[in-house]
Amino acid sequence: MNPEEHLVSERFPRSSAYHPQWVLAAVSGGANPLWLTEWLTEAMDLRPGMRVLDLGCGRGASSIFLHRELGVQVWATDLWFDATERLARIRDAEADDGVFPIHADARALPFATGFFDAIISIDSFVYYGTDDLYANYLARFVKPGGQIGIAGSGLVAEFDGPLPEHLVAWWEPSLACLHSPAWWRRHWERSGVLDVEVTDLMPDGWRRWLDWQHLVSPDNTTEIDVIRTDAGRHLGYVRAVGRRRTDTVPDEPITAIPVEYVPAPLLRPDDH
């Protein structure tokens, strides 16, 4: 498959301007981070100068894209990929004045409450954000009224019954983290801290998924065959955007419960 041809798309004009070799050199997952970032930010209100957390940014392509295309300052945060390698890519893109690589766990973020104007997550949120308490935890780091947006692999609808037969060869227990737009809407609404603005599927997202796999992982025939056979019946790209409510204060996480040790007899007296 020719990268020059398949990384140019009228649907993603901003992404198409980036050199295929640069895009492929920054591969960190099963989706094109520029396509997903361009699609997600179309549904968000990002303005130049805003502080944005790019959570689970991989090797930093989405963070550089955000800074270059939208003029925002980006804290490019990831646990699995090396921050120094990310910094080299940021510097080569002449984006080090506005993109700052951070090595951190999504469940132990080192930021001040309300520091960010917006938070985005590209093809990584499913690995930590399905926890019932996570939206409340994450919302603390965005200002009241600020947006949280995610985009990545997901389901058209939740499975009602057994796994469809044609997915069995590819499916593994960890894929239980994939969910539908309707699921994400309910999940975030239940948190009580987010007003959900958008939950939807990328039109023909399964074709984008298939094209990307052909390009970056042509030997991954199991996944390629499953996506082709499924043809968008169950699998696709999901987007969700919520806004932190201004009338609700997220709970502070419990990091330690203050207690004082008081000595007490261990056993009852012998004459009891």
Side-chain angles (χ1 to χ4, degrees):
M1 180 171 284
N2 182 1
E4 295 284 351
E5 176 184 349
H6 288 277
L7 289 180
V8 173
S9 170
E10 292 183 1
R11 173 62 186 84
F12 303 111
R14 291 179 183 266
S15 301
S16 297
Y18 289 77
H19 197 289
Q21 291 181 14
W22 186 87
V23 176
L24 296 178
V27 169
S28 61
N32 184 322
L34 303 192
W35 289 346
L36 290 182
T37 304
E38 187 166 350
W39 179 51
L40 174 61
T41 55
E42 289 170 357
M44 298 183 70
D45 179 23
L46 299 182
R47 299 182 299 278
M50 279 186 165
R51 291 196 294 263
V52 176
L53 171 60
D54 186 3
L55 186 58
C57 69
R59 299 172 72 184
S62 56
S63 303
I64 293 167
F65 180 90
L66 285 165
H67 177 62
R68 286 180 52 85
E69 301 299 323
L70 302 175
V72 295
Q73 299 182 75
V74 186
W75 278 254
T77 303
D78 198 88
L79 176 65
W80 292 349
F81 290 93
D82 181 57
T84 301
E85 191 264 356
R86 203 177 317 142
L87 177 60
R89 177 169 293 101
I90 292 166
R91 284 176 171 166
D92 280 351
E94 299 182 350
D96 52 322
D97 61 336
V99 182
F100 315 109
I102 304 292
H103 181 262
D105 189 327
R107 297 178 182 274
L109 294 171
F111 305 113
T113 298
F115 180 75
F116 294 105
D117 297 292
I119 298 172
I120 78 157
S121 179
I122 300 299
D123 207 34
S124 71
F125 199 76
V126 293
Y127 298 117
Y128 43 83
T130 59
D131 184 327
D132 286 343
L133 303 180
Y134 191 73
N136 199 296
Y137 168 77
L138 185 63
R140 296 172 51 251
F141 298 103
V142 70
K143 296 176 181 178
Q147 289 178 304
I148 297 175
I150 66 173
S153 303
L155 304 178
V156 174
E158 301 299 302
F159 297 132
D160 184 12
L163 188 71
E165 184 64 29
H166 67 280
L167 300 183
V168 171
W170 170 66
W171 198 269
E172 57 185 39
S174 64
L175 293 174
C177 66
L178 299 182
H179 289 291
S180 65
W183 187 93
W184 281 109
R185 179 172 290 275
R186 288 193 300 271
H187 183 62
W188 278 2
E189 285 175 344
R190 289 180 62 232
S191 75
V193 297
L194 295 175
D195 288 325
V196 182
E197 298 178 332
V198 175
T199 52
D200 61 2
L201 289 160
M202 179 187 290
D204 284 335
W206 72 273
R207 296 184 188 275
R208 311 286 182 185
W209 188 340
L210 185 61
D211 287 346
W212 183 250
Q213 287 299 314
H214 273 302
L215 190 61
V216 303
S217 190
D219 295 332
N220 186 7
T221 56
T222 299
E223 184 168 342
I224 288 171
D225 290 345
V226 163
I227 297 169
R228 182 188 297 112
T229 301
D230 184 73
R233 285 179 287 166
H234 300 285
L235 302 175
Y237 287 144
V238 173
R239 172 176 69 175
V241 178
R243 192 177 295 272
R244 179 181 160 182
R245 295 177 56 173
T246 58
D247 60 348
T248 302
V249 178
D251 294 334
E252 289 292 325
I254 299 174
T255 56
I257 298 176
V259 294
E260 181 179 350
Y261 176 69
V262 177
L266 177 64
L267 302 175
R268 294 175 182 268
D270 291 339
D271 59 355
H272 178 74

